[in-house]
Amino acid sequence: MRQLTTFRNQFDFQSIRWKDMIRWFPGHMHKGMKDLEQSLPRVDGIIEIHDARIPHSGRNPQFYQRLIAGHKPHILILNKSDMADPKYLNKSIEYIQTEQPNVQVVQTSLTTIDLKEMTKMFGHLLQQIVEMPRYSRSSKSEYNIIVCGIPNVGKSTFINKLRNLFANKSSCEQVGANPGVTRTMSEKVKISNRPKVYIRDSPGILEPRLKSADESFRLLLTNSIPIQQRQLSDIIADYGLFLLNKYGKQREYMKYCELDRPTDDIVTLLLSLAKIKHCTQIYGDKRGYDLTGTALHFVNELNKGTFGRITFDQDILDAREEGKFSDATLFKTNSGQMRKSI
Ligand SMILES: Nc1nc2c(ncn2[C@@H]2O[C@H](COP(=O)(O)OP(=O)(O)OP(=O)(O)O)[C@@H](O)[C@H]2O)c(=O)[nH]1
């Protein structure tokens, strides 16, 4: 067992057949993408929702640029900011606005936002949409807004908040802890009378091809891609530990896993955690620790914020700030080459 005082500075993806183990583009996403493209001519604005912990990973600015061609307001809500590192919230907004100057970016936490803040935020979003020239749609007096983004970022939560706020209706959209709850475009819902505003939810959509292992693993850690193979959970837990160490977040996992020192060895951590949580299973005629189940537990806790607020894309924001990258050449592969990840 390794007992290191220094930590890995790179994660070894090469020995893993990660591409074979992750399925992130199921049939409904392909259909969702087509539906979204078809509905766009009738849409007056896009509200994209994304996870504030991954301002880079999983976003595809070109996709939206192609869809709306800069002619319609595109507002980006960086949600789940309650779980992102507060030091990186503004940096995330700056990062996106440098990449996409036409996008209005706001950050929020839809689980903690109160009525007053929600009213203010939506009023602000609506103003952007209403004030933008309407081109061919100018004859109509109603506004249609579409809510989109990758799976599990809070799209349904946002629509439910709006319904409650403006229409006085109880929650109708299904909100889920698992990604992919919304599978089709929802019916439009009226959320304001003057002006008449309708809003529609869309299924979570990811790019058909993810560009790097880092990006994919960050989407797994934030539950935008489901962990479909249990055996993958050990590797994802190891990647989570790698990031916690890289970002200096040892204190919280040491406390939770009752470790007396930081570790870079996932087996050491999982064994300690399995003991505390009594996570065991029968192997033949013996009972032993269930490290795979414990790894899943560790990943869930990391995603829930148990080990503190973390911005998984912190390295990208730091590198951009330090001027180390001139363009979107962001994730480093194990071959040592820089790789375009957008
Ligand atoms: N901590 C935290 N959790 C949130 C926030 N917003 C949403 N959630 C949780 O994130 C999970 C996913 O929320 P949904 O609203 O179902 O996400 P979605 O984008 O509609 O998901 P899909 O249907 O998969 O596309 C749920 O468990 C929500 O309670 C937030 O601001 N903070």
Side-chain angles (χ1 to χ4, degrees), residues 111-126:
T111 47
T112 57
I113 195 167
D114 64 22
L115 209 71
K116 205 169 142 203
E117 276 178 285
M118 184 73 194
T119 313
K120 198 171 148 209
M121 182 174 84
F122 189 67
H124 174 71
L125 300 183
L126 199 58

Side-chain angles (χ1 to χ4, degrees), residues 146-193:
I146 219 157
V147 175
C148 46
I150 67 173
N152 210 41
V153 288
K155 299 180 294 299
S156 304
T157 308
F158 178 70
I159 294 201
N160 282 339
K161 292 263 169 191
L162 286 182
R163 277 176 190 265
N164 292 340
L165 200 61
F166 291 96
N168 245 351
K169 283 187 187 162
S170 60
S171 170
C172 290
E173 288 288 331
Q174 194 185 348
V175 173
N178 295 319
V181 171
T182 312
R183 288 181 168 253
T184 52
M185 298 281 287
S186 73
E187 289 302 310
K188 62 183 192 177
V189 177
K190 198 207 270 181
I191 43 134
S192 157
N193 245 334

Side-chain angles (χ1 to χ4, degrees), residues 1-277:
M1 225 175 272
R2 280 178 289 160
Q3 273 297 355
L4 299 181
T5 46
T6 54
F7 303 112
R8 292 164 285 181
N9 56 15
Q10 222 167 295
F11 191 77
D12 176 22
F13 289 112
Q14 266 172 352
S15 52
I16 314 164
R17 290 167 61 88
W18 63 274
K19 278 196 174 163
D20 300 340
M21 293 164 125
I22 306 171
R23 191 170 152 261
W24 63 81
F25 198 70
H28 78 266
M29 275 194 197
H30 181 68
K31 186 172 177 305
M33 230 160 179
K34 277 182 125 177
D35 288 351
L36 192 59
E37 285 189 63
Q38 277 168 7
S39 60
L40 266 165
R42 300 181 299 278
V43 163
D44 298 291
I46 289 184
I47 295 183
E48 180 196 351
I49 306 197
H50 198 73
D51 191 321
R53 295 170 296 170
I54 44 169
H56 172 78
S57 296
R59 283 202 70 236
N60 182 353
Q62 277 89 354
F63 172 65
Y64 290 103
Q65 187 58 29
R66 204 182 67 235
L67 277 186
I68 57 180
H71 294 320
K72 293 178 187 179
H74 177 179
I75 291 150
L76 170 64
I77 299 177
L78 287 177
N79 185 35
K80 303 198 180 184
S81 63
D82 54 305
M83 298 198 288
D85 188 329
K87 291 202 295 287
Y88 284 86
L89 286 172
N90 284 340
K91 289 183 189 183
S92 298
I93 294 178
E94 281 162 24
Y95 167 75
I96 291 165
Q97 281 179 332
T98 313
E99 298 257 307
Q100 293 175 278
N102 294 334
V103 179
Q104 296 284 324
V105 193
V106 291
Q107 51 97 354
T108 191
S109 159
L110 288 171
T111 47
T112 57
I113 195 167
D114 64 22
L115 209 71
K116 205 169 142 203
E117 276 178 285
M118 184 73 194
T119 313
K120 198 171 148 209
M121 182 174 84
F122 189 67
H124 174 71
L125 300 183
L126 199 58
Q127 197 181 0
Q128 313 279 323
I129 289 169
V130 169
E131 282 176 1
M132 186 93 169
R134 304 187 75 202
Y135 303 103
S136 56
R137 307 176 310 282
S138 56
S139 56
K140 282 208 226 145
S141 59
E142 64 182 50
Y143 292 86
N144 288 289
I145 301 170
I146 219 157
V147 175
C148 46
I150 67 173
N152 210 41
V153 288
K155 299 180 294 299
S156 304
T157 308
F158 178 70
I159 294 201
N160 282 339
K161 292 263 169 191
L162 286 182
R163 277 176 190 265
N164 292 340
L165 200 61
F166 291 96
N168 245 351
K169 283 187 187 162
S170 60
S171 170
C172 290
E173 288 288 331
Q174 194 185 348
V175 173
N178 295 319
V181 171
T182 312
R183 288 181 168 253
T184 52
M185 298 281 287
S186 73
E187 289 302 310
K188 62 183 192 177
V189 177
K190 198 207 270 181
I191 43 134
S192 157
N193 245 334
R194 254 183 286 149
K196 256 194 195 109
V197 182
Y198 295 89
I199 201 154
R200 287 178 82 188
D201 197 2
S202 64
I205 293 168
L206 276 162
E207 285 184 83
R209 279 185 305 120
L210 293 173
K211 313 288 192 310
S212 77
D214 279 285
E215 184 173 13
S216 309
F217 273 58
R218 288 164 196 212
L219 292 167
L220 284 156
L221 284 176
T222 50
N223 206 18
S224 279
I225 299 177
I227 301 175
Q228 277 155 334
Q229 296 192 27
R230 255 174 80 85
Q231 68 265 37
L232 192 62
S233 59
D234 307 17
I235 303 162
I236 300 161
D238 192 21
Y239 184 71
L241 176 63
F242 163 75
L243 285 187
L244 285 167
N245 284 327
K246 181 174 175 176
Y247 299 156
K249 310 261 178 203
Q250 290 90 358
R251 205 152 37 107
E252 281 89 346
Y253 78 71
M254 281 168 59
K255 190 168 170 218
Y256 187 80
C257 302
E258 295 185 9
L259 292 165
D260 56 9
R261 66 170 85 164
T263 181
D264 208 10
D265 182 18
I266 191 65
V267 179
T268 305
L269 180 143
L270 292 179
L271 266 175
S272 181
L273 187 56
K275 279 182 203 161
I276 301 162
K277 299 285 168 200

